Amino acid sequence: MSPELEHKLIEKYPDLFKGRHKPITESLMAFGAEFQDGWYKIFDDLCEYLTHLSGHEKLVKLKPELVTKKNHGYMYVKCPTISFTQVKEKYGTMRVYWMGDGIDNWDEIESKIDPSFNTENLFSDYYDRIENAIDYAGFLSGKTCEVCSEPGKVYTNGWCMSRCKKCIVEHYGFDPDEDLKEENEEITKL
C-alpha cells in the first residue's frame, strides 16, 4: 500500500498499527500493509469494524462477598485490544494476522469473579467476530482488483493475483479469459 494511504490508516486506527515499531521477530508490521492501493477501502472498513469491536465489554458474575445493590452481582470487563502482526496479499487475497494485547489488570479482575463463572471462553465470541470480519475482508479482496479497486477476480499465471480484466490485460498483454475460452473450444473439438 502506498505510504500516504497507510499513514491515513495509522492516524485513524493507531492501536491496530502499534506493532509497526516492534522488532520483526515480534511483528512484521514494520513492512506495512503489503498489498496495492485497490484494497484500501476494504482494509479501511475492516479497521473501522475492528476498532468498534475493541470497545465491547463482557458481563461477568462477581464473588458473593462483592455483591452490592449497585452492581447486582455483576461487573463489566473490557475486551482486550488487538493489533496487527502482519497484513499482506497471499494467493490473490488479503491476509490479516493479529494478536490480542491482553488485559493489564487481569489478575485483579479474575480475583473478583465468582469461581463458578467459567472465564475460559469469556472472549471466544469476540475473537470469532474478529476472525469472521477478517475472513470476509479476504473474501471481498478476491473479488476486487488489488490495483484499481474495480470488481475483479483471482487470476493465476504462476502467481495468484486479484485483478479486473483491464488491469490483467495491461499486466500480461492478453486476456486470460479469452485464452481459456479458446483452449476449451479446442478441447471440445477433440
Side-chain angles (χ1 to χ4, degrees), residues 107-120:
D107 290 338
E108 178 188 334
I109 291 168
E110 194 173 36
S111 72
K112 296 177 182 178
I113 298 173
D114 188 308
S116 68
F117 187 85
N118 183 0
T119 59
E120 188 175 316

Side-chain angles (χ1 to χ4, degrees), residues 61-124:
K61 186 177 179 182
L62 292 170
K63 289 181 176 176
E65 62 269 20
L66 299 174
V67 175
T68 65
K69 286 183 181 180
K70 186 177 179 182
N71 66 29
H72 302 285
Y74 294 91
M75 73 174 183
Y76 285 99
V77 176
K78 191 171 191 255
C79 291
T81 58
I82 68 161
S83 59
F84 298 135
T85 56
Q86 187 177 27
V87 179
K88 66 180 184 176
E89 174 278 329
K90 184 174 182 178
Y91 300 122
T93 61
M94 181 188 304
R95 302 298 169 97
V96 177
Y97 304 97
W98 60 278
M99 63 181 249
D101 293 329
I103 301 173
D104 292 336
N105 59 341
W106 179 248
D107 290 338
E108 178 188 334
I109 291 168
E110 194 173 36
S111 72
K112 296 177 182 178
I113 298 173
D114 188 308
S116 68
F117 187 85
N118 183 0
T119 59
E120 188 175 316
N121 297 314
L122 181 61
F123 300 113
S124 61

Side-chain angles (χ1 to χ4, degrees), residues 1-17 20 33 37 40-41 43-44 47-48 51:
M1 179 180 296
S2 70
E4 298 80 25
L5 289 179
E6 189 162 341
H7 187 70
K8 283 172 70 173
L9 292 174
I10 291 168
E11 286 182 350
K12 280 172 77 174
Y13 314 107
D15 288 343
L16 293 175
F17 289 89
R20 70 188 195 286
D37 294 349
Y40 174 81
K41 174 80 171 101
F43 190 52
D44 183 30
C47 290
E48 181 179 357
T51 299

